[in-house]
């Protein structure tokens, strides 16, 4: 039986952090045997906000290398760079022409990100969810792993596929685009900033101390955890709304050690911050060690990584071209001679 397809990606807007890993990439690794997986570095999304061209190139390659270093197996999944497949931009345009502007203006992430940009909001930022719909729909993805923050964007992709393409243009009820389902992760924990347990850990937070990146050295990790915000209570606990930092740091500890929350709860119930922080530091350092080793090998001699991306591009191109042509044909664009 054919495996169902999965599509996902991360923006190369900075160095990947443990939130990106624990909340996304580590789940893809678990799912790659069960689903025919397509994972891309979504560089076209990264240019919807101001960026440094040199850093973008660096981060794009680093992100692809980290997918592999974190355990994405190029024999099991297709790894590629979004901008290498022209069909993403092309389908985005076609979908733009059928998507009502007022659907876009409702997008919460746009509103949040637009506030940060002041008067400099690009049309691309407003269009971000349509590009994301194109990413997903091009590969006939059955499922898309989503966290809470991406649910609204996936719903938009479903509505565009169903209401704006399939119901308007299909002939004899034959779907043109597959309508994807969200794959809500059981352990979809959101990792919060080290400086504020109420705001998300983010690549683009100007304060580097707010996140642990996957490539941080043991020394840097030690320093960042030492400075991480705590509270005045003794004993650590999950789920106390007055102690978001305790919840966050315990969650990270549970996830990097792969221990059950129940066990962590008992282990740390009578522990002070002074004892817990070194434990957490060591746990993070050991969890990241194998990733950093594999990453360094991939970056020392880039031939393996280049080959992985070349193969991924070829496969992604084949699959996406079929969908793109199906959409072009259905909406009335004349076939190329
Ligand atoms: N803090 C987080 N905890 C858990 N999961 C997270 N993800 C991001 N931050 C956390 C998940 O990582 C995937 C890739 O995200 P993205 O790069 O497409 O955009 P993002 O969610 O906006 O990530 P960042 O790190 O916060 O980047 P910037 O600062 O550029 O906006 C997604 O699956 C996301 O859920």
């Amino acid at each position: 039986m054919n495996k169902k397809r999965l599509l996902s990606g991360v923006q190369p807007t900075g160095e990947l952090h443990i939130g990106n890993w624990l909340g996304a990439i580590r789940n893809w690794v678990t799912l790659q045997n069960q689903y025919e997986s397509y994972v891309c570095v979504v560089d076209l999304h990264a240019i919807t906000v101001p960026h440094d061209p040199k850093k973008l190139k660096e981060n794009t390659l680093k992100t692809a290398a980290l997918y592999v270093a974190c355990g994405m197996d190029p024999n099991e999944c297709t790894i590629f760079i979004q901008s290498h497949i022209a069909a993403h931009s092309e389908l985005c345009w076609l979908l733009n022409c059928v998507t009502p502007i007022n659907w876009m203006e409702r997008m919460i992430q746009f509103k949040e990100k637009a506030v940060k940009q002041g008067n400099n909001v690009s049309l691309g930022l407003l269009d971000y969810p349509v590009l994301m719909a194109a990413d997903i729909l091009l590969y006939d993805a059955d499922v898309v792993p989503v966290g809470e923050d991406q649910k609204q964007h996936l719903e938009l992709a479903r509505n565009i596929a169903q209401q704006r393409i399939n119901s308007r243009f299909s002939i004899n009820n034959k779907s043109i685009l597959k309508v994807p389902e969200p794959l809500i992760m059981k352990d979809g924990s959101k990792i919060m900033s080290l400086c504020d347990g109420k705001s998300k850990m983010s690549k683009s937070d100007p304060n580097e101390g707010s996140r642990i990146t996957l490539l941080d050295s043991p020394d840097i990790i030690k320093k960042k955890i030492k400075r991480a915000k705590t509270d005045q209570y003794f004993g650590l606990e999950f789920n106390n709304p007055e102690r978001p930092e305790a919840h966050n740091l315990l969650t990270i500890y549970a996830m990097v050690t792969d221990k059950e929350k129940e066990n962590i709860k008992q282990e740390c119930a009578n522990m002070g911050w002074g004892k817990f922080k070194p434990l957490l530091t060591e746990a993070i350092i050991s969890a990241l060690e194998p990733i950093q080793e594999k990453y360094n090998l991939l970056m020392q001699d880039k031939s393996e990584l280049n080959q992985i991306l070349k193969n991924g591009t070829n496969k992604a191109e084949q699959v996406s071209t079929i969908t793109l042509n199906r959409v072009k044909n259905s909406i009335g664009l004349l076939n190329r001679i």
Side-chain angles (χ1 to χ4, degrees), residues 246-294:
H247 179 83
N248 186 41
L249 296 182
L250 280 179
T251 303
I252 296 175
Y253 184 54
M255 291 183 92
V256 295
T257 52
D258 275 327
K259 289 186 190 167
E260 293 294 329
K261 279 194 170 177
E262 206 42 50
N263 296 342
I264 302 280
K265 205 167 130 185
Q266 284 170 18
E267 185 186 342
C268 303
N270 295 311
M271 204 182 266
W273 287 107
K275 192 164 174 206
F276 174 69
K277 280 191 166 183
L279 267 185
L280 175 63
T281 304
E282 283 317 310
I284 297 175
I285 292 172
S286 356
L288 296 186
E289 198 179 293
I291 295 176
Q292 296 183 355
E293 261 174 34
K294 174 80 185 158

Side-chain angles (χ1 to χ4, degrees), residues 91-109:
L91 183 61
C92 177
W93 175 255
L94 304 180
L95 301 182
N96 276 339
C97 295
V98 294
T99 305
I101 290 188
N102 65 3
W103 286 12
M104 309 308 299
E105 287 165 343
R106 283 185 220 140
M107 295 291 120
I108 296 162
Q109 203 180 75

Side-chain angles (χ1 to χ4, degrees), residues 175-241:
S175 295
I176 301 157
L177 290 171
K178 179 167 267 173
V179 181
E181 297 290 336
L183 186 67
I184 310 287
M185 299 311 301
K186 214 168 46 202
D187 198 355
S189 301
K190 203 193 238 185
I191 305 299
M192 310 310 271
S193 157
L194 299 181
C195 305
D196 172 6
K198 286 188 179 150
S199 60
K200 190 174 94 129
M201 184 177 284
S202 237
K203 287 181 235 98
S204 53
D205 188 326
N207 182 355
E208 286 187 13
S210 67
R211 59 186 168 269
I212 306 271
T213 80
L214 297 185
L215 300 175
D216 277 345
S217 68
D219 265 0
I220 299 277
I221 296 173
K222 251 179 229 158
K223 278 191 195 126
K224 286 182 177 172
I225 296 294
K226 206 167 174 189
R227 289 189 197 138
K229 188 175 172 199
T230 55
D231 53 35
Q232 74 277 26
Y233 302 101
F234 182 81
L236 298 164
E237 54 185 332
F238 287 105
N239 297 324
N240 179 343

